[in-house]
């Protein structure tokens, strides 16, 4: 039995002008740092890979497991992992997430709900984009995808920016046995994020 998506909630706290999209990324683009931190990605369990253009990022989490039921504790019922991405690039550009997809596997029985929430923001700036997914009544793979209508952009006037992507999953109520975990095929929960650029 596969999941039914009981709700998808999308928040857009910033009202943004239509972007003037750049045809490509800045000529000089460098990943200064990419790190992960959180209960869902303990040290050594996460891998961050980038493509040749430094605009597509794959985050693979091998120990992101949320579980509830007998013999579990509060720390088992909720997990998170925060990706911090520090980019250096030519002045005159801004960037945001073109897409961000989170894929995993879950077992959620009747009477229990699983929730996953992703938020994107920039260090030192107000506002964030967020999107979430509620899973109920089934088991199988799931995917939580961002929407291009919910975007937050890096600031203009500089040549560096730090983007934060925080993913959280939790189960409620915690008394019944349920699971949100890595995909059974890949043995990893994956998040793929692609960037898009515009001229300031």
């Amino acid at each position: 039995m596969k999941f039914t998506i009981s709700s998808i909630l999308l928040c857009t706290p910033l009202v943004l002008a239509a972007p003037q999209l750049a045809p490509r990324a800045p000529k000089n683009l460098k990943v200064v740092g990419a790190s992960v931190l959180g209960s869902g990605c303990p040290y050594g369990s996460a891998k961050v890979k980038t493509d040749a253009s430094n605009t597509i990022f794959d985050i693979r989490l091998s120990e992101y497991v949320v579980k509830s039921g007998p013999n579990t504790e509060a720390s088992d019922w909720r997990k998170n992992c925060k990706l911090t991405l520090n980019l250096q690039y030519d002045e005159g550009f801004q960037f945001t997430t073109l897409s961000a997809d989170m894929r995993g596997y879950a077992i959620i029985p009747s009477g229990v709900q699983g929730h996953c929430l992703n938020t994107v923001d920039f260090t030192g700036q107000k506002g964030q984009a967020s999107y979430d997914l509620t899973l109920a009544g089934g088991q199988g793979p799931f995917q939580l995808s961002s929407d291009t209508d919910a975007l937050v952009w890096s600031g203009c006037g500089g040549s560096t920016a730090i983007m934060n992507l925080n993913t959280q999953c939790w189960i409620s109520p915690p008394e019944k046995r349920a699971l949100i975990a890595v995909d059974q095929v890949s043995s990893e929960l994956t998040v793929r994020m692609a960037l898009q650029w515009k001229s300031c």
Side-chain angles (χ1 to χ4, degrees):
M1 180 179 182
K2 292 190 176 180
F3 288 110
T4 56
I5 300 175
S6 57
S7 69
I8 299 178
L9 180 63
L10 200 56
C11 293
T12 52
L14 294 181
V15 178
L16 299 169
Q20 180 184 350
L21 294 181
R24 53 183 168 71
K27 183 177 180 180
N28 298 301
L29 172 61
K30 181 180 179 182
V31 179
V32 179
S35 61
V36 290
L37 178 66
S39 58
C41 48
Y43 181 77
S45 68
K47 299 176 182 177
V48 180
K49 297 181 180 179
T50 66
D51 73 337
S53 68
N54 286 330
T55 59
I56 298 177
F57 299 83
D58 277 311
I59 305 98
R60 301 183 180 274
L61 310 171
S62 62
E63 295 186 26
Y64 198 112
V65 179
V66 185
K67 57 185 178 180
S68 61
N71 302 316
T72 62
E73 301 177 356
S75 59
D76 298 318
W77 308 334
R78 177 187 292 265
K79 300 290 182 180
N80 86 294
C81 189
K82 180 179 179 181
L83 167 70
T84 298
L85 181 64
N86 189 348
L87 295 185
Q88 181 176 326
Y89 46 89
D90 299 328
E91 290 188 17
F93 286 91
Q94 292 176 280
F95 73 93
T96 187
T97 54
L98 175 64
S99 64
D101 295 313
M102 175 181 175
R103 299 171 185 263
Y105 187 92
I107 302 171
I108 309 293
S110 177
V112 182
Q113 288 189 337
H115 307 269
C116 289
L117 169 68
N118 286 349
T119 59
V120 180
D121 64 67
F122 288 90
T123 299
Q125 290 185 211
K126 294 181 179 179
Q128 67 178 15
S130 63
Y131 46 100
D132 78 351
L133 177 67
T134 299
L135 300 169
Q139 70 179 63
F142 69 89
Q143 178 175 337
L144 171 57
S145 298
S146 63
D147 191 302
T148 53
D149 291 333
L151 298 176
V152 57
W153 289 85
S154 63
C156 273
S159 60
T160 61
I162 299 175
M163 172 184 274
N164 304 297
L165 170 64
N166 190 33
T167 178
Q168 306 175 57
C169 290
W170 65 96
I171 296 171
S172 63
E175 292 79 18
K176 291 187 176 181
R177 194 179 301 278
L179 178 73
I180 299 175
V182 298
D183 187 275
Q184 286 191 330
V185 176
S186 67
S187 296
E188 295 173 320
L189 186 144
T190 62
V191 180
R192 166 166 282 199
M193 183 175 67
L195 303 183
Q196 70 172 340
W197 296 83
K198 70 174 181 177
S199 301
C200 290

